[in-house]
């Protein structure tokens, strides 16, 4: 798990994911979680990721496609990465995703 300003964490658990996501904000604009299978998801914050202040951008990549959803609820951002880490794809149905043009 990597972020803009915090130390890299290898093999994070759900509590570490929560700690990292709750520290995302001004000065630490994103955190990225990459699983052993090579898939990744990330949470970004504010204008750094082109969303309004107070908003979290939830993003994941699947193949060559990257998708984004938005939330103002940090608990939803935490839950997104915790479920991603666990391999539980419930998060895909919980948010309205749009494909990003890269």
């Amino acid at each position: 798990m990597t972020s803009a300003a915090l130390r890299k964490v290898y093999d994070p658990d759900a509590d570490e994911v929560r700690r990292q996501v709750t520290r995302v904000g001004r000065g630490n604009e994103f955190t990225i979680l990459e699983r052993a299978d090579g898939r990744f998801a990330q949470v970004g914050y504010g204008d750094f990721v082109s969303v309004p202040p107070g908003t979290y951008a939830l993003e994941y990549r699947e193949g060559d496609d990257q998708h984004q959803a938005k939330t103002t609820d940090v608990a939803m951002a935490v839950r997104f990465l915790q479920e991603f880490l666990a391999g539980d794809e419930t998060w895909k149905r919980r948010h309205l995703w749009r494909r990003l043009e890269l």
Side-chain angles (χ1 to χ4, degrees), residues 18 41 79 94:
R18 182 189 48 74
R79 189 173 180 185
R94 186 176 297 113

Side-chain angles (χ1 to χ4, degrees), residues 12-48:
D13 61 13
D15 286 334
E16 183 61 33
V17 168
R18 182 189 48 74
R19 280 190 289 278
Q20 293 273 337
V21 173
T22 57
R23 291 184 178 130
V24 169
R26 182 161 278 131
N28 186 44
E29 290 84 2
F30 67 88
T31 189
I32 301 171
L33 178 60
E34 186 171 355
R35 294 191 322 209
D37 64 7
R39 293 178 62 205
F40 78 88
Q42 59 192 17
V43 172
Y45 183 81
D47 21 336
F48 182 79

